[in-house]
C-alpha cells in the first residue's frame, strides 16, 4: 500500500490538504490507483467542518469565530461534525477499495479504533474506545483517555468503489482547541463540553508527536506493507479542482 507522508510542500492551503484526501478516494474509486494511507501534520491550526455544519443557521457566525481565533476553516471530505486541530496533531487518511460499496463500515470503525487505542496504550495512555459526554464530533468509536477526554476522532466517506477513513489525533494544544470549539459549537447550537477535549501529552507527558507518527506508520506497515511514494502533479491538479467543496462559503451579504 502506498504511503504519502508529510504536509504538502507546494502550498500551505489547508483546503488543499483536505481536498487531497477527496481526490485520492475518487482516484481509487475510478480504479486508477490502489489503496493508500496519507499521514501528515497540519501546517496551520484548522477547524474542519462537516458538510451538515454548513447547513446550520449559525454557520456564518461559527466561521467568524474560527477566523477570529486564528484558525483556518475548511470543509472536510468525511462525515461528522466540526473538529479542530493544530500543528501538534496528526492526520491520517486511509483510502481503500470497496467493490461492494458501503460494506465494512462498522468493521473499519471498530478495527482502526482498536489500532489507535493500542498505539496509545504503548505510549502510556489509558486509551479506551467510546464517546465521552459532550465531546466534539461525537462517535461511539472515538478513542478516549480513561472515559474522560477525547484524543482521536474518526470519520468515513464512501463512494462507489472506494472509501476514505480519516483519523485526527490531538497530541498537544488542547488548551487552544477548547475555546475555539466552545465558540463553534455554541454558534452552531450543538451540545459540547470543553472539558471533553484532551491531548495525548496531557495523559503521557513524555509522548512525542514524532514517536506517535512513527508508531502509527509502523502499525499500518505491519498490516499492509507500505511503499513510500510522493504526491504527483495529477493528484494535486485534481485536488485543486475540488477546492470549492472544501473552502467554506458564507451566506451573508
Amino acid at each position: 500500500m502506498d504511503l504519502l507522508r508529510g504536509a504538502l510542500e507546494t502550498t500551505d492551503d489547508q483546503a488543499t490538504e483536505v481536498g487531497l484526501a477527496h481526490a485520492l478516494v475518487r482516484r481509487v474509486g475510478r480504479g486508477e490507483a490502489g489503496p493508500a494511507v496519507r499521514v501528515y501534520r497540519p501546517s496551520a491550526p484548522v477547524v474542519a467542518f462537516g458538510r451538515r455544519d454548513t447547513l446550520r443557521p449559525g454557520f456564518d457566525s461559527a466561521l467568524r469565530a474560527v477566523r477570529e481565533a486564528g484558525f483556518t476553516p475548511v470543509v472536510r471530505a468525511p462525515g461528522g461534525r466540526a473538529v479542530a486541530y493544530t500543528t501538534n496533531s496528526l492526520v491520517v487518511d486511509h483510502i481503500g477499495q470497496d467493490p461492494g460499496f458501503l460494506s465494512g463500515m462498522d468493521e473499519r470503525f471498530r478495527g482502526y479504533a482498536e489500532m489507535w487505542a493500542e498505539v496509545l496504550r504503548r505510549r502510556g495512555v489509558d486509551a479506551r474506545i467510546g464517546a465521552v459526554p459532550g465531546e466534539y464530533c461525537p462517535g461511539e468509536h472515538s478513542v478516549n483517555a480513561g472515559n474522560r477526554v477525547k484524543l482521536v476522532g474518526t470519520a468515513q466517506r464512501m463512494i462507489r468503489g472506494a472509501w476514505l477513513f480519516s483519523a485526527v489525533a490531538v497530541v498537544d494544544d488542547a488548551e487552544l482547541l477548547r475555546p475555539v470549539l466552545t465558540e463553534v459549537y455554541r454558534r452552531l447550537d450543538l451540545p459540547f463540553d470543553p472539558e471533553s477535549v484532551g491531548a495525548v501529552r496531557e495523559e503521557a507527558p513524555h509522548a512525542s508527536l514524532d514517536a506517535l507518527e512513527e508508531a502509527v506508520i509502523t502499525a499500518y506497515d505491519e498490516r499492509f506493507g507500505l511503499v513510500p511514494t510522493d504526491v504527483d502533479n495529477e493528484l494535486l491538479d485534481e485536488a485543486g479542482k475540488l477546492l470549492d467543496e472544501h473552502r467554506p462559503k458564507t451566506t451573508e451579504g
Side-chain angles (χ1 to χ4, degrees), residues 18-26 28-29 49-51 75-80 92-98 101-105 108-109 154-167 242 244-246:
V18 297
L20 196 67
H22 190 178
L24 276 165
V25 73
R26 283 164 58 105
V28 173
F49 290 95
R51 296 182 189 278
V75 179
R76 57 188 182 145
V92 179
D93 292 321
H94 182 189
I95 298 92
Q97 296 164 318
D98 185 9
F101 197 35
L102 296 186
S103 63
M105 184 176 179
R108 282 190 294 275
F109 269 127
T154 59
Q156 296 193 59
R157 180 173 182 175
M158 279 70 63
I159 65 170
R160 189 165 300 280
W163 49 262
L164 163 64
F165 186 94
S166 185
L242 298 170
D244 281 349
E245 296 187 40
H246 300 291

Side-chain angles (χ1 to χ4, degrees), residues 8 21 29 32 40 67 70 73 104 130 146 150 152 174 177 200 216 251:
L8 294 171
E32 297 173 1
Y40 72 97
R67 292 181 173 123
K150 182 170 182 172
V152 183
L177 302 182
V200 175
V216 170
T251 59

Side-chain angles (χ1 to χ4, degrees), residues 131-148:
V132 297
E135 72 176 25
Y136 60 91
C137 191
E140 62 180 301
H141 299 101
S142 298
V143 180
N144 69 73
N147 293 327
R148 296 178 295 99

